[in-house]
């Protein structure tokens, strides 16, 4: 499959705190834990966000190992802390386990995995605009949020 440089993600409400995230032909359910009024039928959006970063790092790591003809099988673990005022992910600690990586390639491997698309997007945040549409179909003027 050719990588698409542009895309669309659509979120649809399914009652309570449940939403389906539709990406191409894939659907991922997000929800809230029961403690927060949800049904706990999927990860919360913040977990999906952190998971996206970890998955992107894992993909970069595996591609590096493949190019170097090294054994595959990385594992990425992400621990995160929430920040307050404003509510946000305040810290993410990533640990990449790459058992087949020779010590001499650790620095170049680290450089490669630190520059995944999601990681780069956090370092150089994208421009984000927001439009609010009502039932009548009127659109408020776009608001830049970054």
């Amino acid at each position: 499959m050719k990588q698409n440089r542009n895309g669309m993600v659509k979120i649809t409400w399914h009652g309570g705190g449940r939403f389906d995230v539709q990406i191409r032909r894939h659907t991922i359910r997000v929800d809230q834990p029961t403690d927060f009024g949800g049904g706990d039928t999927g990860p919360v959006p913040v977990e999906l966000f952190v998971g996206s970063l970890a998955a992107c790092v894992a993909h970069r790591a595996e591609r590096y190992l493949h190019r170097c003809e090294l054994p595959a099988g990385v594992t990425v673990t992400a621990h995160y802390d929430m920040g307050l005022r404003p509510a946000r992910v305040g810290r993410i600690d990533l640990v990449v386990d790459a058992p087949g990586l020779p010590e001499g390639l650790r620095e170049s491997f680290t450089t490669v995995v630190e520059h995944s698309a999601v990681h780069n997007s956090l370092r150089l945040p994208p421009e984000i605009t927001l439009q609010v549409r009502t039932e009548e179909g009127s659109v408020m003027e776009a608001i830049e949020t970054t």
Side-chain angles (χ1 to χ4, degrees), residues 58-124:
H59 277 278
R60 295 276 298 188
E62 282 296 333
R63 283 197 302 254
Y64 178 95
L65 296 175
H66 179 76
R67 269 194 323 273
C68 293
E69 298 179 0
L70 295 168
V74 300
T75 302
V76 177
T77 305
H79 294 275
Y80 66 95
D81 296 321
M82 295 300 294
L84 301 173
R85 294 190 182 112
R88 70 198 182 290
V89 175
R91 179 183 179 94
I92 302 172
D93 294 313
L94 298 171
V95 177
V96 180
D97 290 306
L101 181 68
E103 188 63 38
L105 294 178
R106 181 184 286 213
E107 189 176 328
S108 63
F109 177 83
T110 301
T111 299
V112 166
V113 300
E114 282 182 332
H115 290 90
S116 71
V118 176
H119 206 161
N120 287 339
S121 297
L122 293 170
R123 286 191 179 141
L124 301 166

